Structure formats: structure tokens, C-alpha cells
């Protein structure tokens, strides 16, 4: 095939500069036609739309055209022409075709359309080739980009926190251990414990559950920072909203209280949703049509309405008075389940909700303690269909109060002394939050299972691909 610079299909479909020679490369979605002519629908991942390639049998031969089957990868040089067919304006009159990789129709798993999402999870290595997953992963990209754009515009610095840590940021204990010790022959101390001094880092380490603690150090020097990286939780929650490896965005801001923290969280999610709606119109329209007819309405609703703000105690009162039978009981002090969160959002207020001032027992040690001695300045943002999408708080800035709480919870000062130092040297009021990236992708795509919004999901008993 002669050398012409490749054009992406998204760019070809957007222009009307006909009768020029172009080159496209991509994967065949379908081939149909008759004895004289073949129509090949080609997709290169740059857009949900295919471009139609028209190939004459006389020119290419019947055998050759027949070998261009669904899933095959081809390159085409030809003329960009105005389409005669319905529903498309641009097609390619093929002059040269090269088959880069054939795809055996007898064994190609995506030979037919209409597979279930469950089946596609079993072939995670090929599902990006489908319209659905192409759309989802393009949306994922644009969302990530929008997040960086938002914080960059606000003057926040992208701060890189470690993935391997010695501390348990959330104090929840559901961590993956990191070790180079030989598990079949563990070194022991005199009293029979594992001797971590012989481990790679000379101490016990794990994959991070959150970059927040290190992020706070960043905020106490740079003013406003955000992290955006993978986090790992070994909680055995096999739900449609939990992954063992997920991405989290954690801004941390000096000199703000919980109210400004809520303002930023609300402004931030609205901005990135609006950005994705603007930049992924075709993909969102496709998902709206195929999976969730209320998707676009829901997205518009969220960006145009103020989130309701109320305290956990007020939320509990509403739930208790609702007369609704929940699977998990509601009482002051209970950790809210997604059924409770969704009742408040979908049935009671009918808009996103920010709950604040949770009982200290169900929240992390670092949250600012209220004067009542019972609650802390935590905040959860709750979304329709999702439940909790953001968790955050104003941080306890007082050295003594934070130290007391750490000791009350019997947490190890060995691993947290550096964190306490921020409260010793130039402490300041500050706050931040964590957005679960995949939960927001769920919201933006209308998908209902978090395994379908990350290319290679990690869940209990599942790390095959
Ligand atoms: O509420 P979480 O546990 O908060 C923190 O980790 C804080 N350090 C954040 C901060 O204040 N900087 O987690 C934050 C968000 C949740 O609201 C949820 O959206 C998401 O992370 N998340 C998960 N997403 C997918 N799978 C899991 N297992 C998740 N656990 C939390
Ligand atoms: Mg939370």
C-alpha cells in the first residue's frame, strides 16, 4: 500500500473536503454487499461512528474481499466521497486495501452483536472493540482530562502521593500487603512474630487506600493540591459499586472550612460533568439510547440544580419518618447504606444531597471534631443511582485533639508521627475530599456495574486480565 498519512475517522466524518486521497486504518465491524461491490463498516476507536468503505469486486477480487471479516484489522487508501447511502455523508471509495490482521469468523468472540455485559466481562481483553466500551473508555478519558483542567484552572497543583505506604490512611484495615519476604519461609522475631525488619522496606508495608494524609502535607506547603491515582482496598465487598483497585481524586485545600469544601466539591463535579457532556455528545447519546433513556436528563438535572445540604442527624430523622422498610435498620449512629442514601436522593429530595456532621464512630480519625463531642465535620456527597460519590471533611487541625483521637483508637504513632507534625509546625484549618473516579464514570455513562467502567476490573477472585 502506498504511504499516505493516516487520518482518524472522527476527523474524516467531520469534514466535507471531498475527492481527496486519504488513508484510514481500523477494525472491521461488518462487511456486506453483493457480487459487484462490498461495503465495509470500519471503526478506529476515535469515534463511535464507523466510516463506510466501498470496494469493487472487479478491483480486489472476491476471495480477497471475503477475507475481510468482522474483527479484522485493515488499512485503506482511497478517495473520500460524498455518500449515496442514507444516514451517512462521507464514505471511502477504496483504491488499495491491506489486511494487517485477519480474524477467524469461526472463533472471534465478537462476531455477532448483542452480547450481554456479563459475557463481555469474560472477554475484557476484547470488549474495548464494542461500541459500548469504546464509548465508556472515551468518556473515561475526557473525564480525567476535565478533572486536571478544573484543578489547574483553580490553581491547584497535581501532587503525587506514594502507592506503597506504611500507614493506614482510613484506619479501616482493609489493605493489600506489599512484601518481598518468602511466604513459604517467613523470618521470625524472638517472640514468634514475622520479622519485617528483613522485608524490602525494613518494615511492614501495604498498597495505599488513599493519598489524603500525604496530600495534607502538600496542602500545608503549596496551599491547594490534588491527587489523582489508583487506590487499593481489600474489602471483600462484592457489590456493583466497589472495586479492589479504583482511581481516586483527592483535593486538599489550606485555609478553608467544611462549607467552602462543599462549595468546591459541588462546583467541581458540575464542571466535569458539563465538560464531558460537551465533549462526548455522540457517546452519551449512544448510551442514552441503548442503556438508560433518562441518562441525559439526569446529567442535565444535576448540573443545573443546587445540591441539598443537611446534617446526618436530619437525614436519619427523615429516614426514620419515611415509613419505608429498609434492609438495614436506621438509627442514629448507623452507617448509612446505599439504600438509605438513595432514598434521600431519589425519593425524598429528588436531587443530589450533601450530608454533614456524622457520628465520630463511623468516620475516620482525622476529621475535625465538633463541640458536641459526638459528631465530626465529615461530608458525603450522594448522587442518584450511585449513593456516595464523594467523601470528605474538614480536618482536625488541633494537635492535642488529633493525638487524643489517635490514641483512643489505638492507632500506631510509629506510622503517623509525620502526619502529626503538620499540626505541630504551622498548623492551619484545612479540608478536602475524595471523589471515586469510577463512581462518577458510572454516573456519566448510565452503567449500573462498576466492573463495566474500568478496562480491567479488580474485584474479589477476579484479576484474570
Ligand atoms: O469515603 P472514602 O473512603 O474517603 C477517603 O478515602 C478520604 N481519604 C477522602 C478524602 O477526604 N481525601 O473514599 C472516597 C470515595 C468514595 O466516596 C467513593 O466514591 C470512592 O472513593 N470509593 C470507592 N470506589 C470504588 N470502589 C471502592 N471500593 C471504593 N471505596 C471508596
Ligand atoms: Mg466514604
Amino acid at each position: 500500500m502506498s504511504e499516505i498519512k493516516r487520518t482518524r475517522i472522527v476527523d474524516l466524518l467531520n469534514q466535507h473536503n471531498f475527492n481527496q486521497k486519504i488513508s484510514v486504518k481500523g477494525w472491521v465491524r461488518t462487511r456486506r454487499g453483493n457480487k459487484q461491490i462490498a461495503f465495509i463498516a470500519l471503526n478506529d476507536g476515535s469515534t463511535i461512528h464507523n466510516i463506510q468503505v466501498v470496494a469493487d469486486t472487479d478491483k480486489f477480487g472476491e476471495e480477497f474481499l471475503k477475507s475481510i471479516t468482522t474483527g479484522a484489522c485493515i488499512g485503506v487508501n482511497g478517495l473520500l466521497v460524498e455518500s449515496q447511502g442514507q444516514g451517512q455523508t462521507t464514505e471511502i471509495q477504496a483504491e488499495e486495501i491491506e489486511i494487517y490482521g485477519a480474524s477467524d469468523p469461526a472463533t472471534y468472540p465478537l462476531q455477532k452483536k448483542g452480547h450481554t455485559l456479563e459475557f463481555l466481562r469474560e472477554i475484557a481483553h476484547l470488549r474495548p472493540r464494542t461500541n459500548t466500551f469504546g464509548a465508556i473508555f472515551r468518556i473515561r478519558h475526557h473525564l480525567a482530562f476535565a478533572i486536571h483542567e478544573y484543578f489547574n484552572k483553580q490553581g491547584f497543583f497535581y501532587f503525587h502521593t506514594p502507592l506503597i505506604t506504611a500507614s493506614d490512611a482510613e484506619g479501616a484495615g482493609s489493605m493489600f500487603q506489599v512484601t518481598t519476604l518468602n511466604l513459604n519461609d517467613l523470618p521470625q522475631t524472638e517472640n514468634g512474630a514475622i520479622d519485617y525488619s528483613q522485608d524490602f522496606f525494613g518494615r511492614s508495608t501495604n498498597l495505599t487506600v488513599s493519598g489524603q494524609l500525604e496530600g495534607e502535607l502538600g496542602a500545608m506547603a503549596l496551599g491547594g493540591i490534588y491527587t489523582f491515582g489508583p487506590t487499593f482496598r481489600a474489602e471483600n465487598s462484592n457489590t456493583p459499586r466497589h472495586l479492589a483497585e479504583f482511581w481516586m481524586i483527592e483535593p486538599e485545600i489550606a485555609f478553608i472550612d467544611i462549607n467552602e469544601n462543599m462549595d468546591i466539591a459541588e462546583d467541581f463535579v458540575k464542571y466535569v460533568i458539563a465538560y464531558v457532556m460537551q465533549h462526548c455528545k455522540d457517546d452519551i447519546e449512544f448510551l442514552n439510547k441503548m442503556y438508560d433513556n433518562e441518562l441525559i436528563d439526569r446529567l442535565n438535572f444535576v448540573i443545573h440544580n443546587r445540591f441539598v445540604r443537611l446534617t446526618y442527624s436530619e437525614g436519619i430523622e427523615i429516614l426514620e419518618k419515611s415509613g419505608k422498610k429498609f434492609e438495614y435498620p436506621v438509627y442514629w449512629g448507623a452507617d448509612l447504606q446505599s439504600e438509605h442514601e438513595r432514598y434521600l436522593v431519589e425519593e425524598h429530595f429528588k436531587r443530589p444531597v450533601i450530608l454533614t456532621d456524622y457520628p465520630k464512630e463511623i468516620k475516620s480519625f482525622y476529621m475535625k471534631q465538633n463541640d458536641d463531642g459526638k459528631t465530626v465535620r465529615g461530608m458525603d456527597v450522594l448522587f442518584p443511582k450511585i449513593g456516595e460519590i464523594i467523601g470528605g471533611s474538614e480536618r482536625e487541625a488541633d494537635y492535642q485533639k488529633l493525638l487524643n483521637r489517635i490514641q483512643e483508637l489505638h492507632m500506631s504513632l510509629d506510622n503517623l508521627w509525620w502526619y502529626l507534625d503538620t499540626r505541630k509546625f504551622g498548623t492551619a484549618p484545612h479540608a478536602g475530599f475524595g471523589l471515586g473516579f469510577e463512581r462518577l464514570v458510572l454516573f456519566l455513562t448510565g452503567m449500573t456495574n462498576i466492573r463495566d467502567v474500568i478496562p480491567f476490573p479488580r474485584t474479589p477472585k477476579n484479576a484474570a486480565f
Side-chain angles (χ1 to χ4, degrees):
M1 210 165 70
S2 38
E3 272 303 320
I4 306 176
K5 196 172 154 23
R6 170 191 167 226
T7 311
R8 296 187 317 150
I9 290 172
V10 67
D11 298 326
L12 285 180
L13 293 177
N14 280 335
Q15 59 153 298
H16 303 280
N17 198 358
F18 296 115
N19 296 319
Q20 53 167 328
K21 218 168 175 159
I22 52 86
S23 172
V24 285
K25 295 173 184 184
W27 294 269
V28 175
R29 284 295 163 80
T30 55
R31 177 183 42 82
R32 50 188 187 81
N34 52 38
K35 282 239 170 297
Q36 290 85 47
I37 206 163
F39 300 103
I40 301 161
L42 197 67
N43 189 281
D44 67 359
S46 63
T47 160
I48 191 126
H49 302 296
N50 303 327
I51 198 155
Q52 174 157 286
V53 175
V54 184
D56 290 331
T57 313
D58 277 352
K59 193 182 196 101
F60 294 100
E62 208 175 327
E63 277 311 296
F64 180 79
L65 289 179
K66 266 200 179 140
S67 65
I68 300 176
T69 56
T70 299
C73 185
I74 63 171
V76 180
N77 289 347
L79 273 193
L80 191 69
V81 295
E82 203 158 3
S83 175
Q84 312 301 314
Q86 271 188 350
Q88 55 211 3
T89 54
T90 307
E91 63 185 29
I92 297 165
Q93 194 67 55
E95 289 176 355
E96 294 170 283
I97 300 179
E98 183 171 345
I99 301 176
Y100 296 120
S103 176
D104 179 5
T107 54
Y108 182 53
L110 296 172
Q111 182 64 26
K112 291 208 180 65
K113 277 187 162 185
H115 292 301
T116 64
L117 293 170
E118 287 79 9
F119 171 76
L120 293 172
R121 261 172 241 151
E122 310 278 309
I123 50 163
H125 60 305
L126 292 172
R127 68 177 182 171
R129 300 257 195 105
T130 62
N131 284 334
T132 298
F133 286 91
I136 292 168
F137 297 145
R138 279 186 295 272
I139 288 172
R140 213 183 136 98
H141 159 79
H142 284 285
L143 177 61
F145 190 82
I147 289 166
H148 285 296
E149 184 178 89
Y150 178 84
F151 287 123
N152 186 50
K153 276 189 182 167
Q154 303 291 325
F156 288 37
F157 300 105
Y158 185 20
F159 192 67
H160 296 97
T161 52
L163 298 192
I164 301 174
T165 69
S167 59
D168 177 1
E170 289 302 300
S174 46
M175 300 181 298
F176 289 99
Q177 252 190 289
V178 174
T179 182
T180 52
L181 292 178
N182 179 356
L183 297 183
N184 295 312
D185 185 16
L186 289 169
Q188 296 195 340
T189 60
E190 268 165 25
N191 52 25
I194 296 170
D195 183 8
Y196 284 109
S197 69
Q198 295 188 41
D199 204 348
F200 190 89
F201 297 105
R203 62 192 307 150
S204 158
T205 52
N206 50 269
L207 293 177
T208 188
V209 295
S210 155
Q212 178 195 322
L213 302 191
E214 295 90 350
E216 285 186 48
L217 310 185
M220 287 295 118
L222 302 170
I225 63 93
Y226 69 105
T227 71
F228 189 165
T231 45
F232 308 86
R233 295 194 185 179
E235 51 200 356
N236 210 351
S237 29
N238 229 327
T239 81
R241 277 176 295 277
H242 287 87
L243 290 166
E245 176 181 294
F246 64 99
W247 290 67
M248 189 156 45
I249 296 91
E250 296 186 274
E252 193 68 38
I253 310 112
F255 318 121
I256 66 161
D257 65 7
I258 191 175
N259 294 311
E260 289 161 279
N261 203 31
M262 286 191 274
D263 294 341
I264 294 170
E266 183 169 341
D267 186 56
F268 163 59
V269 278
K270 284 178 172 170
Y271 178 91
V272 296
I273 292 171
Y275 180 99
V276 171
M277 289 184 77
Q278 194 190 338
H279 289 82
C280 305
K281 230 166 171 295
D282 292 353
D283 289 326
I284 288 179
E285 272 166 16
F286 171 82
L287 295 167
N288 189 83
K289 189 172 88 196
M290 301 298 288
Y291 291 96
D292 180 352
N293 298 148
E294 289 162 9
L295 174 62
I296 293 174
D297 288 345
R298 198 178 317 113
L299 296 177
N300 272 318
F301 186 81
V302 164
I303 56 180
H304 291 123
N305 282 282
R306 212 177 137 67
F307 299 179
V308 182
R309 299 178 184 187
L310 69 156
T311 64
Y312 166 90
S313 301
E314 291 165 333
I316 289 288
E317 216 179 302
I318 293 169
L319 290 167
E320 281 176 336
K321 286 191 183 144
S322 70
K324 186 142 172 132
K325 272 261 161 287
F326 293 107
E327 193 184 331
Y328 291 87
V330 177
Y331 55 92
W332 198 95
D335 207 354
L336 293 185
Q337 303 295 323
S338 142
E339 55 170 344
H340 308 131
E341 296 170 341
R342 290 183 58 180
Y343 174 83
L344 291 173
V345 172
E346 290 165 31
E347 293 180 52
H348 189 82
F349 288 110
K350 298 191 165 44
R351 63 175 67 192
V353 168
I354 311 183
L355 277 188
T356 61
D357 301 287
Y358 283 78
K360 65 176 180 196
E361 285 76 20
I362 58 170
K363 289 292 179 192
S364 300
F365 72 97
Y366 50 70
M367 294 193 183
K368 184 177 168 68
Q369 298 159 31
N370 281 320
D371 292 336
D372 63 9
K374 292 193 300 194
T375 58
V376 288
R377 307 237 80 185
M379 53 169 248
D380 278 5
V381 180
L382 314 178
F383 259 35
K385 296 268 184 193
I386 309 288
E388 179 190 340
I389 198 157
I390 285 177
S393 71
E394 183 170 342
R395 317 306 187 190
E396 182 54 73
D398 182 89
Y399 178 81
Q400 200 54 48
K401 284 187 185 166
L402 185 59
L403 180 65
N404 291 348
R405 188 69 186 139
I406 289 173
Q407 286 171 336
E408 236 168 65
L409 294 167
H410 306 293
M411 296 177 75
S412 150
L413 281 174
D414 246 18
N415 293 332
L416 285 174
W417 62 270
W418 51 270
Y419 181 67
L420 272 163
D421 261 10
T422 52
R423 275 62 169 176
K424 230 193 232 166
F425 306 119
T427 189
H430 63 290
F433 58 85
L435 166 75
F437 185 63
E438 283 76 18
R439 297 229 178 138
L440 188 53
V441 183
L442 272 179
F443 186 69
L444 276 163
T445 55
M447 291 287 113
T448 53
N449 194 315
I450 201 161
R451 292 164 182 76
D452 296 331
V453 296
I454 185 165
F456 304 102
R458 296 288 176 261
T459 51
K461 304 273 181 288
N462 175 25
F465 300 96

